[in-house]
Amino acid sequence: MTSEKKTSRITAAKLAAVILVFLVAFMLPGCSGTGSGGSSEKPGTVVAENDDSITIVDQAQREVTVPKKINSIALSYRVVIRPIISLGEGGKIKGCGKTEDFLFELQPSLKKAVDVGKGVADLEALAELGPDVFFNKGNDPETLDSVEKLGIPAIGLSFEDTEEMITALDILGKVLGKQKKAEKLISYYDNKIAADEKAAEKIKDKKTAIVMGSSIGKVADGTMLQGSMIRTAGGVNAAEDLEATELWPTAGTEQIFDWDPDFIFISGSEGANYTAEDIYKKKAWSEMKAVKNRHVYVMPAQKDSWEFPGVVSALGIDYMISKMYPDRMPSEKLQKNVDEFYKLSYGRTFAPEQLGY
């Protein structure tokens, strides 16, 4: 085939995708696709099934019909990449948005994946790719419905707390035909959290802590995953009751001084523009308990964040325990738990320097 003919064919495909997106956006505003909101069933419920497809309730409370044989996956919600790889289906990801070097190490084929939007779905790219299923945030039904109008089944998922993570893994297992592996991951996470919560109940003198985000003064409130991680580890989130109107609400330094937490954890997943050393160098912070006692830590791991939404957050809880209550989580036990998680999730272990902690 000559380069001119090949270029012409690619251009024609792109033009067809643009026309399809145009028709969907402007000529078919009433079309609802295979997904519908307002299902009365619990997310994860299979409401219909035949030899070729299943209809499942997603975490946007929509009923979505997906084929049983899935050969290609696309997503704009990067949180979903890790569990898909853990389920052994990473090679089917043909379209995604933001990725990381560690994910390429886990799944080299991701380097060839088409960019279908980083956080915001690229409808034109999705129309051209035509995946068998698309995964996105459960709190973005507008995008889910728009993708379904392209004829692509779109599943909404959420990983923001323990219950949501378990439900999301259950849905992924059913949609991708990997229920047994999903059940193993769920059992690991569920048992781990239950054991940590039970141990936390016995702690009489609980440490206070906060998790700060991308800039100094932004903190995780009680509704966020990082806040729940503090609680599960046996600590008290000083920012628990902070009234929030945004993700990572701004408490401000004066409020943090008033809280005077025993421990300050800095988010490793938010690209913080400061370090623990920066906090230690601030004279105004020098009398805070966390600073005075050198209890300011960046959450590991540099290559694979342990506070990222998903099963890996169990390791983030272990890390918090190791700092707040070292007798409960000595370094040997932490390393054992790290190896157990990576062996279960990805079939291999990593040395500390490979993960960056």
Side-chain angles (χ1 to χ4, degrees):
M1 183 186 293
T2 66
S3 60
E4 289 84 357
K5 288 182 178 180
K6 187 175 181 181
T7 301
S8 176
R9 184 169 295 182
I10 292 173
T11 303
K14 287 185 176 181
L15 179 60
V18 171
I19 292 172
L20 179 56
V21 173
F22 178 85
L23 287 172
V24 168
F26 296 100
M27 298 180 67
L28 300 173
C31 180
S32 60
T34 61
S36 59
S39 174
S40 60
E41 300 291 341
K42 291 174 56 177
T45 301
V46 175
V47 295
E49 183 174 7
N50 57 40
D51 292 339
D52 300 318
S53 66
I54 66 169
T55 300
I56 192 167
V57 179
D58 70 1
Q59 286 175 285
Q61 211 61 45
R62 301 158 59 256
E63 294 184 4
V64 186
T65 300
V66 296
K68 279 191 173 179
K69 187 175 181 180
I70 290 176
N71 296 312
S72 59
I73 298 167
L75 53 96
S76 292
Y77 184 29
R78 67 178 179 133
V79 170
V80 187
I81 297 178
R82 283 171 171 80
I84 291 176
I85 295 174
S86 294
L87 292 174
E89 298 293 278
K92 295 180 180 178
I93 300 175
K94 306 302 181 182
C96 59
K98 186 176 181 181
T99 53
E100 305 147 38
D101 289 343
F102 184 71
L103 295 177
F104 293 145
E105 185 172 349
L106 292 175
Q107 190 68 52
S109 62
L110 284 175
K111 294 178 181 179
K112 298 180 180 179
V114 175
D115 186 348
V116 294
K118 296 174 176 62
V120 178
D122 183 334
L123 295 181
E124 180 183 337
L126 281 168
E128 187 174 346
L129 181 64
D132 294 325
V133 66
F134 172 74
F135 296 107
N136 197 41
K137 293 180 180 180
N139 63 358
D140 186 10
E142 184 177 347
T143 293
L144 294 168
D145 289 342
S146 294
V147 172
E148 290 226 327
K149 288 176 182 179
L150 299 175
I152 301 168
I155 301 281
L157 298 173
S158 181
F159 286 80
E160 282 305 319
D161 61 36
T162 299
E163 185 176 346
E164 287 183 349
M165 286 182 205
I166 290 172
T167 300
L169 284 169
D170 177 53
I171 292 172
L172 283 168
K174 290 172 179 174
V175 169
L176 300 178
K178 295 290 183 177
Q179 292 97 320
K180 287 186 178 180
K181 182 60 182 290
E183 286 169 4
K184 287 183 179 180
L185 291 168
I186 290 169
S187 178
Y188 164 84
Y189 186 76
D190 206 11
N191 292 337
K192 186 81 173 59
I193 297 302
D196 287 340
E197 289 178 340
K198 185 175 181 180
E201 290 175 0
K202 299 177 182 179
I203 299 173
K204 295 180 179 180
D205 183 21
K206 292 190 174 184
K207 306 296 184 182
T208 59
I210 60 171
V211 179
M212 290 203 299
S214 58
S215 59
I216 295 174
K218 285 184 172 294
V219 297
D221 66 359
T223 67
M224 293 178 61
L225 171 63
Q226 288 82 354
S228 69
M229 288 168 63
I230 293 174
R231 294 194 301 272
T232 304
V236 175
N237 180 15
E240 181 77 20
D241 298 323
L242 185 67
E243 292 186 8
T245 57
E246 58 182 336
L247 194 65
W248 289 103
T250 300
T253 54
E254 289 188 12
Q255 177 62 74
I256 294 174
F257 293 162
D258 286 341
W259 287 331
D260 195 17
D262 297 308
F263 289 80
I264 295 176
F265 296 102
I266 299 171
S267 171
S269 66
E270 289 297 305
N273 59 12
Y274 60 100
T275 66
E277 285 302 318
D278 291 331
I279 297 296
Y280 289 137
K281 290 176 182 178
K282 289 182 176 295
K283 290 184 178 180
W285 291 58
S286 61
E287 292 304 310
M288 291 183 62
K289 283 183 290 188
V291 176
K292 193 160 44 178
N293 296 321
R294 306 290 289 186
H295 288 327
V296 181
Y297 306 99
V298 176
M299 290 291 294
Q302 187 178 2
K303 301 289 182 65
D304 186 36
S305 172
W306 293 351
E307 42 149 338
F308 205 73
V311 179
V312 73
S313 63
L315 295 184
I317 293 169
D318 282 344
Y319 180 76
M320 288 180 171
I321 294 172
S322 75
K323 297 304 180 184
M324 293 191 292
Y325 311 105
D327 290 344
R328 285 179 52 202
M329 187 65 63
S331 58
E332 298 82 6
K333 184 176 181 181
L334 176 62
Q335 185 59 50
K336 181 181 177 182
N337 290 354
V338 170
D339 290 342
E340 180 185 11
F341 166 78
Y342 283 102
K343 187 70 175 178
L344 171 65
S345 294
Y346 307 118
R348 58 180 291 194
T349 58
F350 296 87
E353 56 270 19
Q354 289 178 294
L355 294 171
Y357 74 94

